[in-house]
Amino acid sequence: MDARSAALGTTAFAAVPATMGGVIPWLVGAAAPGSWERSSPGTVAGWLLVALGVTGLAEAFVRFARDGLGTPFPGAPTEHLVVTGPYRYVRNPMYVAVVAVVVGQALLWRSTAVLAYAVLFVTAVTAFVALYEEPTLRETHGDEYARYAATVPRWLPRPGHVWPRPTTTAPHPGR
């Protein structure tokens, strides 16, 4: 896939996390009127999580299109294993970013229902990653993915568990 097609496909796929991490929690939170308090400390933390999550998601999407030459959509996967940017620290920064946005909204809405949705989302994503994504990546990228998975944590960054920076400036040294 060329870079332009990857960028267009990745941009189109953005509707999925926007719905799962934005629209659904917003609708659940909005269903409980009067829960929004602009001056609460939870609001500040909520907006911070939403901002960090949206920023992280955008960065991860750019990496998929630019460095992987593909999309997050399973039907149009990357040609290259993406191990740059936030992928150096966690294997699933898109999901981590969406969870940050959802938890941020739970704080904004002061909503246990949105927090319960976050738990449900994490459970579903964990199953999807373990049962589909990781086996597919192992099959597609072989030893490179095995080394990556052995080095980089699935969800939360840990000191000393970082993928090394590329030694070349070319995004795809194998080409």
Side-chain angles (χ1 to χ4, degrees):
M1 177 179 297
D2 64 35
R4 186 178 188 315
S5 297
L8 289 172
T10 296
T11 301
F13 187 80
V16 174
T19 300
M20 301 302 291
V23 174
I24 293 172
W26 188 265
L27 292 173
V28 171
S35 61
W36 188 288
E37 287 188 23
R38 294 179 188 215
S39 62
S40 75
T43 300
V44 174
W47 280 118
L48 182 62
L49 282 171
V50 168
L52 289 171
V54 168
T55 302
L57 189 60
E59 169 70 12
F61 268 53
V62 166
R63 297 289 175 167
F64 247 65
R66 188 186 68 202
D67 298 350
L69 291 179
T71 75
F73 176 63
T78 60
E79 292 179 19
H80 307 279
L81 186 63
V82 180
V83 295
T84 58
Y87 292 93
R88 291 184 60 226
Y89 305 96
V90 292
R91 295 194 312 261
N92 297 289
M94 286 186 202
Y95 296 130
V96 171
V98 171
V99 170
V101 171
V102 175
V103 170
Q105 289 183 77
L107 292 171
L108 289 171
W109 290 108
R110 298 177 46 170
S111 171
T112 56
V114 176
L115 192 57
Y117 172 75
V119 171
L120 179 65
F121 180 80
V122 167
T123 302
V125 163
T126 299
F128 180 72
V129 165
L131 298 174
Y132 174 77
E133 278 191 358
E134 289 179 349
T136 301
L137 288 166
R138 276 188 190 91
E139 183 179 312
T140 304
H141 299 286
D143 289 340
E144 182 183 17
Y145 182 75
R147 286 189 310 276
Y148 177 65
T151 304
V152 178
R154 188 185 276 167
W155 303 117
L156 298 174
R158 293 191 316 256
H161 295 270
V162 177
W163 193 252
R165 289 191 184 276
T167 57
T168 178
T169 57
H172 310 294
R175 285 193 150 181

